[in-house]
Amino acid sequence: MKITDIEQALRERPGDRQLWLDYAALLEERGDARGTLIRLEQRRDRLRPVDRVGVQQEIDELASAHRQAWDAALPDGATVLARRHGFATKVAVEWSDEDDAPMLVDRVLREPFVTALRISPTEDIEQAEVEAAGEQAWEAFDDGADAGQETDAPEPSIDPGALATLDFSRLSELGFPYLGLGALGAKALAASAFFRIGASGTGPTAGDTTGLLDSLDLRYSRIGNDGLSALAASPGFRGVRRLHLQHNRLTAKAARDLHRFTNLTELDLRYNTIGEEGAQALLAAPFIGSLRRLLLHRADISDAGAKLLADSPRLPPAIRSYWRNA
Amino acid sequence: MSTELRDRFFALSNSGASSDEVAEYRAEVDATDADPAATLDGLALHWHPTARFKAVRFVDAEDLGADVRDLFARPSREAPHLAAVFADPHELSFRDFENILPLDRVFARSESGGGFDLELADPREFAPGAYTFALRLPGTDRERLRRLDAMDLYVTPLNSASRGGERFIFHSQLLADALTRAVTEGVPEPLLEGFSHVNPVFRCNRFEPGDANFHLHRDTPYYDASREHISRYTVLIYLTGGTAEPVLDLAGGGALRRIDPFTCVVFDQRYQHEGAPYLDERKVFLRTELVFTETGLAHDPEIGALFSKACYLTGESVFAPELARHADTYYDRVAAAHWEGLGTGADREPFLHKDFRGTHFVANGYDFWFAKRGGISPAVCAAITLLDYFNCKIGEDSFRSLCETEAIEAQGTGWIPAFLQDRGGGTAVAPFDKSMLFPEPEEPNTEDMPDCACGICGEIHPRFDTTRSAGVIKHYTDAQDAAKAEVVPAPIVMMGEDVLLDPDRFVVEGDRIHVLGKESPSPVNFAACQGGPPVTPPEDFITTAVTVDAAHFLVPPILFTESDDCYHLRFDFFGNTWTLKHEQATAAVPAIRPFTMEDIDQDWDINYPDWDDEDEDLEDEEEEEEENATA
């Protein structure tokens, strides 16, 4: 078996201990210390907690000596958030220069075990957006518009085309927190995923056209109803179980589009004014009885919407309790 | 109206009111509803009796909120620090059945500085292991003890059906220390082997001629497992003298028919005993115990089980008075068992069948049985057992008052599985992922809230995002930490009237359910502008999303067995090596509210009329500086 085949198999079955040992042997042949690390960590996990101290010390020393070399393949600006056996599995990247950013992300995605990626804006981009938002808000206020209401279209602050070039299909966790994707960015993601998954059939089972993605974080991404609608229609995103959508200018229409995410167990919709109609649409969603977490504020759904949630037998009892008392 | 209701209670209590007057007053109380005026240690209280708040108690007035403190009466001139409160008897659990009053503050006001000078003289053994002594004390001490009766602190005991008279319980280290010295010097040597001290908790009893006897019983011995302390002898101090048939009768031993004031009686707690009121006088006496250090005690878990049942039935007797009789029988058997081992009980025993929102269970105060139906888990059974045993508050009501309960007398326990199979076993307690209450704060994209909305500060605008302001986030995180400290470790939380459990806090291991307790809460820090119109400070953007009551328990493991059709849980709360604790706390779960233009002072020009002047002054200064620089 080629090493790349083993890596793909391990991405799909990260708990396969024997496969990891086979992989360790290949790494050791190449002089990669992560082969030794795999063996040590597997041995540690079989020991009683009281007997683990010595092995853990060996692991820490090995990791400390080699971590810099292991991360050398990652581009500058990438931060490792989680590892398995020394390999990066979750990485954060800042989206800065439009020209370099897609390339940087692409390099991260080439790392063999990265299955979780978080792309967020640089501080400069954030600051510029805050200032622009302030100016727009005062202009709208001076023109007599409703100060709190964001009526302008959710434009992206990054190039949607650049996003479309990236292949996220092997990820189980993807986040663009605080990055102004806008509706166009969301549509680009959806379209790209549609073609890639359609072409490769990378779903959990052979021939499955639903993506591997389990968690999608789009908080403060300004995707709006149209952006969410595009993602809901895309097989690459339809299978997610955890969805963060706070502060995205969503309304009741988006709550209806959420019905297409049939596997949802966690949904964060805070700071979107979906109103009573949105609450009603949520209660009609196929996933409503399976939710473990539903994050919303009373202001998002109005008193009438809160009452609907409090009274609905479709909600799991614990979440209904929350709304009976919120 | 309410003041009148409050004051009449004490007026009627202290005068020989006619039965008609009392009946009229009771009817008036029954027709009066009121919300709680205060809460103390989880117990809702009111300052006058109502249909709900009927059990009078005394508490340190300082413990009541300053805003309502003066509404509560201070009926005792001798103990003005004690306020009379009225509690809902249904809310009481074994933790607060007894109302122990701290009286050293009263005693300490005397000229002697509070201490007593006591001597036990003229010992006379009137039965094996039973003595009388003359209590010698100066006139001032005599007067101080006599005044106990005049303090009017008597409350009705829960087992009033099985005993006559009135009583109150107080704590006095000063009196106990003096008695300890007197006992050490005056009590015959054979009684003192291992003697440690006199229990500082005293019961002050009062009987009027014609009152019912205190029925034949054994005193429950004092027991402190951590110090290996037990009591062996009861101490009675008669503050008044008189004649009765008899004053004190030790079953199988001697009897005292006449007693002089300030006589002290010490007798072996193995005696069953009873006493009658004096024929012509008021009978007032104090009771406490001689405490001994006893190493190498044997332990019988069945005694603990029986004691647990006795306490439980005492609480249930509020709802079903006939259970008080069974509780007394159990207490008596427990007291006897300490000396003679556990004897055989009655063939038939009391059980309670309870229905809590569709979940049926049978309990006797030690054993709790649940039908394995409707997906009920051992954790849910344990949660319901804890709620029942500690009679936790759920919303405005106590757990026991929310149950539909029937008392059943039955032989053995074999009938219970079949009995429960015919009844619903739904889960009235839902599992809850508490992380939903504490979503992670967002990442900040602005610094602290600007001090003002001036052009220079410039960060405030009509769509200012409070959820990403570092200042607001800090306050949000602090508020979350405070709420988490209460809510996260709690095995059971209550939201309004709903009961939810955290499955992670109930660990089933073999035949035990461990209920994980609360760790020390981490310290919570709270933190704290100029120029343009003032802006709402960041802490004001934190609102309450939901209010959660968290029930904390520090309890021993719950023993647990299961059959095909039943979960059977057993508690030994009064076990020998455990400190028992239960508390309930309320936490406000925070949320961040959005910014609105109302957060900027719209009348700023009116409220800060000198603003323009200041601005002009500033401009003048700047111009001056520029001119100077040019020059």
Side-chain angles (χ1 to χ4, degrees):
Chain A
M1 198 187 250
K2 283 195 300 186
I3 196 160
T4 48
D5 293 339
I6 294 186
E7 286 168 349
Q8 184 176 341
L10 282 172
R11 281 198 301 274
E12 289 164 8
R13 305 196 304 276
D16 189 333
R17 297 168 65 88
Q18 185 52 53
L19 199 55
W20 276 111
L21 288 175
D22 295 345
Y23 187 58
L26 286 173
L27 292 174
E28 282 168 338
E29 278 174 21
R30 297 172 165 213
D32 190 330
R34 284 176 288 200
T36 312
L37 188 69
I38 291 168
R39 292 188 194 286
L40 284 171
E41 289 187 336
Q42 291 217 354
R43 185 169 8 130
R44 176 200 57 194
D45 295 346
R46 284 196 301 272
L47 294 172
R48 294 181 307 165
V50 289
D51 299 329
R52 288 179 184 172
V53 180
V55 181
Q56 186 58 50
Q57 194 176 344
E58 221 177 316
I59 289 168
D60 292 343
E61 284 169 6
L62 189 71
S64 171
H66 295 278
R67 185 165 294 141
Q68 207 172 348
W70 294 339
D71 290 348
L74 284 167
D76 288 343
T79 308
V80 179
L81 301 176
R83 298 170 192 275
R84 180 189 283 266
H85 302 315
F87 292 95
T89 55
K90 182 172 184 176
V91 175
V93 174
E94 284 193 340
W95 189 278
S96 51
D97 187 291
E98 290 287 0
D99 296 332
D100 292 346
M103 211 158 41
L104 190 145
V105 172
D106 188 55
R107 278 178 62 191
V108 171
L109 290 169
R110 287 177 195 282
E111 283 294 291
F113 296 108
V114 170
T115 52
L117 179 64
R118 174 198 151 102
I119 305 173
S120 52
T122 59
E123 207 177 310
D124 289 346
I125 292 181
E126 278 257 71
Q127 243 2 80
E129 288 200 359
V130 168
E131 282 165 24
E135 281 167 20
Q136 281 174 18
W138 279 121
E139 279 168 22
F141 182 69
D142 292 340
D143 292 345
D146 179 355
Q149 194 60 47
E150 295 170 298
T151 49
D152 42 339
E155 289 302 319
S157 60
I158 63 166
D159 173 17
L163 279 176
T165 63
L166 296 166
D167 181 3
F168 299 113
S169 60
R170 80 173 201 204
L171 297 179
S172 61
E173 200 178 318
L174 177 60
F176 299 93
Y178 316 114
L179 188 65
L181 293 183
L184 286 176
K187 285 177 182 174
L189 274 177
S192 166
F194 182 82
F195 290 115
R196 288 177 198 283
I197 289 176
S200 63
T202 48
T205 55
D208 191 345
T209 54
T210 304
L212 299 169
L213 204 61
D214 182 71
S215 169
L216 180 61
D217 186 348
L218 292 170
R219 70 184 74 183
Y220 296 74
S221 295
R222 305 205 306 265
I223 62 169
N225 288 348
D226 289 351
L228 182 73
S229 180
L231 291 167
S234 166
F237 298 96
R238 205 184 286 154
V240 297
R241 293 191 304 120
R242 291 177 290 151
L243 186 54
H244 281 273
L245 288 171
Q246 52 267 48
H247 208 289
N248 263 304
R249 307 179 183 184
L250 304 176
T251 66
K253 178 186 178 306
R256 285 190 289 276
D257 282 330
L258 282 170
H259 289 204
R260 302 188 77 166
F261 296 94
T262 51
N263 297 338
L264 281 185
T265 57
E266 292 182 26
L267 176 60
D268 193 338
L269 269 176
R270 286 173 298 156
Y271 319 122
N272 292 291
T273 314
I274 63 169
E276 180 188 5
E277 195 187 336
Q280 200 151 27
L282 275 183
L283 288 172
F287 54 76
I288 197 71
S290 309
L291 283 181
R292 288 195 302 109
R293 280 162 64 105
L294 172 61
L295 296 176
L296 272 168
H297 288 319
R298 179 175 283 270
D300 302 323
I301 51 174
S302 78
D303 288 347
K307 187 169 182 334
L308 282 178
L309 297 186
D311 294 342
S312 171
R314 296 205 69 209
L315 266 183
I319 298 178
R320 199 166 65 237
S321 281
Y322 177 91
W323 283 103
R324 269 206 288 265
N325 299 285
Chain B
M1 167 62 186
S2 305
T3 312
E4 192 262 337
L5 210 55
R6 177 193 72 188
D7 295 340
R8 253 170 77 206
F9 176 87
F10 298 105
L12 290 170
S13 303
N14 294 329
S15 66
S18 69
S19 54
D20 285 350
E21 278 177 302
V22 171
E24 187 188 333
Y25 180 75
R26 281 192 175 145
E28 216 170 300
V29 167
D30 284 338
T32 305
D33 286 321
D35 290 331
T39 303
L40 191 58
D41 295 332
L43 209 56
L45 306 170
H46 209 281
W47 45 281
H48 62 76
T50 70
R52 174 183 169 190
F53 300 107
K54 280 184 175 164
V56 66
R57 301 166 68 81
F58 291 91
V59 301
D60 197 323
E62 290 298 312
D63 292 339
L64 296 166
D67 52 332
V68 292
R69 190 180 299 148
D70 290 342
L71 293 170
F72 290 85
R74 316 267 184 111
S76 173
R77 226 178 313 159
E78 302 281 342
H81 66 292
L82 296 177
V85 302
F86 294 87
D88 179 350
H90 298 118
E91 285 186 19
L92 299 176
S93 76
F94 73 84
R95 290 171 295 120
D96 35 35
F97 286 152
E98 305 289 22
N99 182 197
I100 300 174
L101 310 177
L103 289 192
D104 269 348
R105 204 192 294 185
V106 177
F107 292 141
R109 285 203 302 265
S110 75
E111 289 167 11
S112 64
F116 289 86
D117 184 11
L118 308 179
E119 184 189 345
L120 293 178
D122 303 334
R124 186 174 70 84
E125 188 171 19
F126 68 97
Y131 293 79
T132 61
F133 301 87
L135 181 67
R136 292 191 178 152
L137 66 171
T140 48
D141 287 353
R142 191 177 284 252
E143 189 50 34
R144 279 198 290 163
L145 291 182
R146 272 206 186 111
R147 284 209 302 264
L148 282 169
D149 180 40
M151 285 184 185
D152 290 324
L153 296 173
Y154 293 99
V155 293
T156 308
L158 274 181
N159 60 343
S160 57
S162 57
R163 50 163 298 157
E166 297 171 294
R167 77 156 186 213
F168 68 92
I169 305 175
F170 67 93
H171 180 281
S172 171
Q173 197 61 53
L174 293 171
L175 183 56
D177 288 346
L179 271 171
T180 300
R181 286 192 295 274
V183 166
T184 308
E185 290 163 10
V187 169
E189 194 61 41
L191 268 63
L192 292 179
E193 191 181 339
F195 172 66
S196 170
H197 62 276
V198 171
N199 185 359
V201 175
F202 295 83
R203 284 152 175 78
C204 182
N205 296 275
R206 177 166 79 183
F207 291 78
E208 300 291 355
D211 276 353
N213 282 13
F214 197 153
H215 74 118
L216 192 66
H217 68 285
R218 278 187 184 84
D219 289 334
T220 301
Y222 169 93
Y223 178 48
D224 182 341
S226 62
R227 295 185 175 85
E228 296 185 303
H229 282 167
I230 60 162
S231 67
R232 290 166 164 271
Y233 290 89
T234 291
V235 177
L236 303 178
I237 298 171
Y238 289 89
L239 302 182
T240 59
T243 306
E245 287 302 327
V247 174
L248 175 66
D249 186 4
L250 302 182
L256 298 171
R257 288 186 168 70
R258 169 162 182 78
I259 207 100
D260 290 328
F262 292 94
T263 297
C264 176
V265 177
V266 175
F267 64 87
D268 194 316
Q269 290 194 313
R270 277 177 275 210
Y271 279 115
Q272 276 194 302
H273 58 280
E274 79 180 307
Y278 295 153
L279 294 174
D280 303 313
E281 306 289 334
R282 174 180 286 184
K283 182 181 183 182
V284 181
F285 63 95
L286 308 182
R287 175 168 85 77
T288 186
E289 297 95 9
L290 302 187
V291 178
F292 295 76
T293 305
E294 189 81 47
T295 54
L297 283 174
H299 295 281
D300 182 351
E302 287 192 38
I303 298 176
L306 200 58
F307 187 65
S308 206
K309 291 179 194 177
C311 292
Y312 185 74
L313 292 183
T314 301
E316 290 294 338
S317 68
V318 172
F319 302 91
E322 72 274 15
L323 293 174
R325 175 175 57 87
H326 292 286
D328 278 352
T329 305
Y330 283 167
Y331 282 125
D332 223 38
R333 283 185 62 206
V334 168
H338 285 302
W339 313 115
E340 300 155 9
L342 199 57
T344 321
D347 285 346
R348 295 172 72 78
E349 288 193 85
F351 296 86
L352 282 307
H353 162 225
K354 299 195 179 191
D355 172 2
F356 175 62
R357 297 175 179 167
T359 297
H360 290 250
F361 62 104
V362 171
N364 62 11
Y366 175 70
D367 306 271
F368 296 76
W369 291 268
F370 297 82
K372 285 167 78 173
R373 294 177 59 189
I376 197 166
S377 67
V380 169
C381 298
I384 290 178
T385 303
L386 289 172
L387 291 168
D388 186 32
Y389 202 92
F390 292 100
N391 197 20
C392 293
K393 271 291 245 333
I394 298 172
E396 288 299 308
D397 299 301
S398 66
F399 178 86
R400 289 178 187 169
S401 67
L402 290 171
C403 289
E404 283 186 34
T405 303
E406 62 169 329
I408 298 170
E409 269 192 53
Q411 190 167 358
T413 59
W415 56 276
I416 293 171
F419 176 85
L420 286 173
Q421 281 308 308
D422 296 337
R423 288 158 176 85
T427 58
V429 180
F432 183 55
D433 177 1
K434 287 188 287 203
S435 70
M436 199 181 98
L437 299 173
F438 304 109
E440 63 190 13
E442 302 301 337
E443 291 175 13
N445 65 356
T446 52
E447 306 279 325
D448 285 351
M449 289 288 291
D451 296 334
C452 67
C454 75
I456 296 168
C457 292
E459 285 180 352
I460 281 289
H461 56 78
R463 291 178 203 157
F464 181 81
D465 188 351
T466 52
T467 64
R468 299 200 61 196
S469 157
V472 177
I473 288 170
K474 183 183 181 324
H475 285 280
Y476 176 60
T477 310
D478 287 344
Q480 271 198 335
D481 287 345
K484 278 180 185 175
E486 290 300 341
V487 175
V488 171
I492 301 171
V493 294
M494 270 76 77
M495 285 198 282
E497 294 178 353
D498 295 332
V499 185
L500 304 160
L501 72 84
D502 181 346
D504 294 340
R505 308 299 291 174
F506 293 84
V507 179
V508 181
E509 195 177 69
D511 65 348
R512 279 152 200 264
I513 303 171
H514 300 271
V515 183
L516 303 187
K518 181 182 173 183
E519 294 163 5
S520 302
S522 53
V524 179
N525 300 312
F526 285 93
C529 182
Q530 59 210 15
V535 175
T536 302
E539 59 269 34
D540 287 4
F541 289 98
I542 310 301
T543 61
T544 299
V546 67
T547 302
V548 177
D549 285 323
H552 300 282
F553 305 92
L554 190 57
V555 293
I558 301 165
L559 297 176
F560 147 74
T561 52
E562 65 177 302
S563 60
D564 289 344
D565 41 18
C566 232
Y567 288 121
H568 176 194
L569 279 63
R570 282 168 290 148
F571 276 133
D572 183 8
F573 283 119
F574 300 97
N576 298 328
T577 55
W578 287 91
T579 305
L580 183 63
K581 194 175 163 195
H582 159 247
E583 61 181 55
Q584 211 158 322
T586 301
V589 173
I592 300 177
R593 73 166 174 81
F595 177 84
T596 69
M597 287 305 282
E598 285 164 12
D599 290 308
I600 298 177
D601 188 350
Q602 301 300 313
D603 296 326
W604 185 66
D605 289 348
I606 301 164
N607 294 335
Y608 297 83
D610 297 335
W611 175 72
D612 282 340
D613 297 344
E614 282 174 19
D615 225 26
E616 282 163 17
D617 290 347
L618 190 69
E619 283 167 16
D620 290 347
E621 278 171 29
E622 283 171 355
E623 279 169 19
E624 236 170 78
E625 278 172 19
E626 278 172 21
E627 280 166 16
N628 291 340
T630 314

